[in-house]
Amino acid sequence: MKARIEKKLSKGLVRLCPSVYRRAWIDKDEPSRLAYKQNTRVSHVLSVGGGTDWQGDGEDAFTTWADWLSHWPWHGPFAVYPDGHEHQFFPNTEGFRPTTRNLLKLAADCERASKAKP
């Protein structure tokens, strides 16, 4: 994936799912990891994380798209694996294809579900 596409997906993800990414910020100083790997000048990407932890150590910042790619199973309407299973307590995502289109649809569905809750 190109870094400029990641920037557009990050922006779209924040628009689709603002409840999850309400603390997203624009990284003005640093290019994203993907832009750095591709040696491109894509900057001003919506990011999450960064800052310092309770010990004062720096934390990593990720684009919202990179964060979504690593955490989408926990936001979806997936049942957990049963007790005794090799992956017990983890979401059962069998049958779900994590394509870009499906992940964006999942984000929109998660937002709709969070707004429907009282």
Side-chain angles (χ1 to χ4, degrees):
M1 171 184 302
K2 293 190 177 204
R4 63 184 176 81
I5 302 297
E6 181 186 36
K7 180 178 179 177
K8 290 178 182 182
L9 288 171
S10 293
K11 186 176 181 181
L13 187 61
V14 171
R15 274 197 321 263
L16 280 174
C17 203
S19 65
V20 175
Y21 293 109
R22 64 182 165 270
R23 298 186 70 186
W25 50 277
I26 295 177
D27 195 354
K28 296 178 184 176
D29 301 329
E30 297 287 326
S32 67
R33 290 179 186 207
L34 186 60
Y36 184 78
K37 284 181 186 177
Q38 295 175 357
N39 199 22
T40 58
R41 292 183 172 221
V42 177
S43 60
H44 294 82
V45 181
L46 283 163
S47 302
V48 291
T52 56
D53 63 4
W54 63 277
Q55 292 178 321
D57 298 332
E59 294 180 340
D60 291 335
F62 300 96
T63 64
T64 55
W65 183 250
D67 182 69
W68 183 253
L69 286 177
S70 60
H71 295 104
W72 64 264
W74 301 103
H75 295 285
F78 306 112
V80 296
Y81 283 103
D83 289 341
H85 191 273
E86 177 184 2
H87 303 292
Q88 73 180 15
F89 309 120
F90 285 93
N92 183 356
T93 58
E94 293 174 8
F96 181 82
R97 292 185 51 204
T99 61
T100 302
R101 180 174 284 159
N102 288 344
L103 289 173
L104 288 173
K105 185 179 180 307
L106 179 66
D109 292 344
C110 290
E111 183 66 21
R112 254 185 257 115
S114 71
K115 285 185 178 180
K117 291 180 184 176

